Amino acid sequence: MFTCDLEHPRTESEWENSFALKMFLFQFVNLNSSTFYIAFFLGRFAGRPGDYNKLFNRWRMEECHPSGCLIDLCLQMGVIMVLKQIWNNFMELGYPLLQNWWSRRKMKRAGEQNNSKEQLPQWDRDWNLQPMNAHGLVDEYLEMVLQFGFTTIFVAAFPLAPLLALLNNIIEIRLDAYKFVTQWRRPMPARATDIGIWHGVLEGIGVVAVITNAFVIAITSDYIPRFVYAFKYGPCVDKGYRHEKCLRGYLNNSLSVFDMGELKNGSYHTRYCRYRDYRAPPWSPEPYEFTLQFWHVLAARLAFIIVFEHLVFGIKTFIAHMIPDMPKDLCDRMRREKYLMQEMVYEAELEHLQKERKKNGKRYHHEWP
């Protein structure tokens, strides 16, 4: 609120839009930082066996599960879409319930001390309910917009997110109805032409969702490495693509070799170990350098991101052009109402002018002077 006042907005609606945008940005960064970290940063800078990157030369960087970071991201999204939404619904209804219970308890004690057995009228009981939030429906809009972000931004990693959001909204509709009717005072109505800045926020989330899902599919998942292996390094490169057979040997191909004898601390029963990466073996002329397959996979990932983004944005633009925001018949009716309103104003002005001329004894015509 302090930063909003520093901007010196001209109107109350501008202040509310500024406040809503700042609240959204703060909540979005706070709630999505963990998912973005798991999707795009976890395990990317850990290094390799024998040359791990360490924080302050002491602690090793965190790594993903051997099966990949997509499983960790899926579990994180599951926790957010299930447990977080349950907790939000509990707090949204439980907090006013607890406050109203405490208020009734204090009123009952006050009545017992005054030896009063009269029942309070309904308007007094309504006045003792909890007041609505000072910022109106900002919290409700914020909750729905954040849920839309969770549903769309990482839907490629957790496809059940839209279903869980639908179930949550079905339950929350009834909880909000109960809260507005029985736990809150009646809010003051206010007229609004649209949803304000939230429309732009939703459009921005849609753009971020397309870009993020492209990176999740290309970088976080194993889709592109499998695709490159099947068409370039698999057993059926020259035999045509058949998914069941072309991925044989993919796991062995995706693991690099490390010589355990290079470690100085202790002895090991096995000479070599395997780890997920595309690096040259220790007996090659350039040991542990990135292989040609690594650069092929990287180029395929970048190409997929560019093609995916342009394709989705092109489809979105085409659909937005084919389906206008306002139906044609509604536009025609609005134009007709505007024309009729202008005609009424014209007739009223003409009648007034004719009366004035007749009163003053001047000649007048039936046309606009």
Side-chain angles (χ1 to χ4, degrees), residues 320 322-335:
M322 294 299 295
I323 304 176
D325 296 335
M326 188 177 298
K328 185 177 181 302
D329 58 343
L330 181 59
C331 292
D332 294 338
R333 284 189 293 173
M334 292 178 64
R335 285 197 294 265

Coordinates of all heavy atoms in Angstrom, one line a residue, residues 320 322-335:
A320 N -8.3 -16.3 -31.7 CA -8.7 -15.0 -31.2 C -9.3 -14.2 -32.3 O -10.2 -13.4 -32.1 CB -7.6 -14.3 -30.5
M322 N -10.8 -15.5 -35.1 CA -12.0 -16.1 -35.6 C -13.2 -15.9 -34.6 O -14.3 -15.9 -35.0 CB -11.8 -17.6 -35.8 CG -10.8 -17.9 -37.0 SD -11.4 -17.2 -38.6 CE -12.9 -18.3 -38.8
I323 N -12.9 -15.9 -33.3 CA -13.9 -15.7 -32.3 C -13.7 -14.3 -31.7 O -12.9 -14.1 -30.8 CB -13.8 -16.8 -31.2 CG1 -13.8 -18.2 -31.8 CG2 -14.9 -16.7 -30.2 CD1 -13.6 -19.3 -30.9
P324 N -14.5 -13.3 -32.0 CA -14.4 -12.0 -31.5 C -14.8 -11.9 -30.1 O -15.5 -12.8 -29.5 CB -15.3 -11.1 -32.4 CG -16.3 -12.1 -32.9 CD -15.6 -13.4 -33.0
D325 N -14.3 -10.9 -29.4 CA -14.7 -10.7 -28.0 C -16.1 -10.4 -27.8 O -16.7 -10.7 -26.8 CB -13.8 -9.6 -27.4 CG -12.3 -9.9 -27.3 OD1 -12.0 -11.1 -27.3 OD2 -11.5 -9.0 -27.3
M326 N -16.7 -9.7 -28.8 CA -18.1 -9.4 -28.7 C -18.9 -9.9 -30.0 O -18.4 -9.7 -31.1 CB -18.3 -7.8 -28.7 CG -19.7 -7.4 -28.4 SD -19.7 -5.5 -28.2 CE -18.7 -5.3 -26.8
P327 N -20.0 -10.6 -29.8 CA -20.7 -11.2 -31.0 C -21.2 -10.1 -31.9 O -21.4 -8.9 -31.5 CB -21.9 -11.9 -30.3 CG -21.4 -12.2 -28.9 CD -20.6 -11.0 -28.5
K328 N -21.3 -10.4 -33.2 CA -21.7 -9.5 -34.2 C -23.1 -8.9 -33.9 O -23.4 -7.7 -34.1 CB -21.6 -10.1 -35.6 CG -21.9 -9.1 -36.7 CD -21.7 -9.8 -38.1 CE -21.9 -8.8 -39.2 NZ -23.3 -8.1 -39.1
D329 N -24.0 -9.8 -33.6 CA -25.4 -9.3 -33.3 C -25.5 -8.3 -32.1 O -26.2 -7.3 -32.2 CB -26.4 -10.5 -33.1 CG -25.9 -11.3 -31.9 OD1 -24.7 -11.2 -31.5 OD2 -26.7 -12.1 -31.4
L330 N -24.6 -8.6 -31.1 CA -24.6 -7.6 -30.0 C -24.0 -6.3 -30.4 O -24.5 -5.2 -30.0 CB -23.7 -8.2 -28.9 CG -23.6 -7.4 -27.6 CD1 -25.0 -7.1 -27.0 CD2 -22.7 -8.1 -26.6
C331 N -23.0 -6.3 -31.3 CA -22.4 -5.0 -31.8 C -23.5 -4.3 -32.6 O -23.6 -3.0 -32.5 CB -21.2 -5.3 -32.7 SG -19.8 -6.0 -31.8
D332 N -24.2 -5.0 -33.4 CA -25.3 -4.3 -34.2 C -26.3 -3.7 -33.3 O -26.8 -2.6 -33.5 CB -25.9 -5.3 -35.2 CG -24.9 -5.8 -36.2 OD1 -23.9 -5.1 -36.4 OD2 -25.2 -6.9 -36.8
R333 N -26.7 -4.4 -32.3 CA -27.7 -3.9 -31.3 C -27.2 -2.7 -30.6 O -27.9 -1.7 -30.4 CB -28.2 -5.0 -30.3 CG -29.1 -6.0 -30.9 CD -29.7 -6.9 -29.9 NE -28.7 -7.7 -29.3 CZ -28.9 -8.5 -28.3 NH1 -30.1 -8.6 -27.7 NH2 -27.9 -9.3 -27.8
M334 N -25.9 -2.7 -30.2 CA -25.3 -1.5 -29.5 C -25.3 -0.3 -30.4 O -25.5 0.8 -30.0 CB -23.9 -1.9 -29.0 CG -23.9 -2.9 -27.9 SD -22.3 -3.4 -27.3 CE -21.7 -1.8 -26.6
R335 N -24.9 -0.6 -31.7 CA -24.9 0.6 -32.6 C -26.3 1.1 -32.9 O -26.5 2.3 -33.0 CB -24.3 0.1 -34.0 CG -22.8 0.0 -33.9 CD -22.2 -0.1 -35.3 NE -22.6 -1.3 -36.0 CZ -21.9 -2.4 -36.0 NH1 -20.7 -2.5 -35.4 NH2 -22.3 -3.5 -36.7

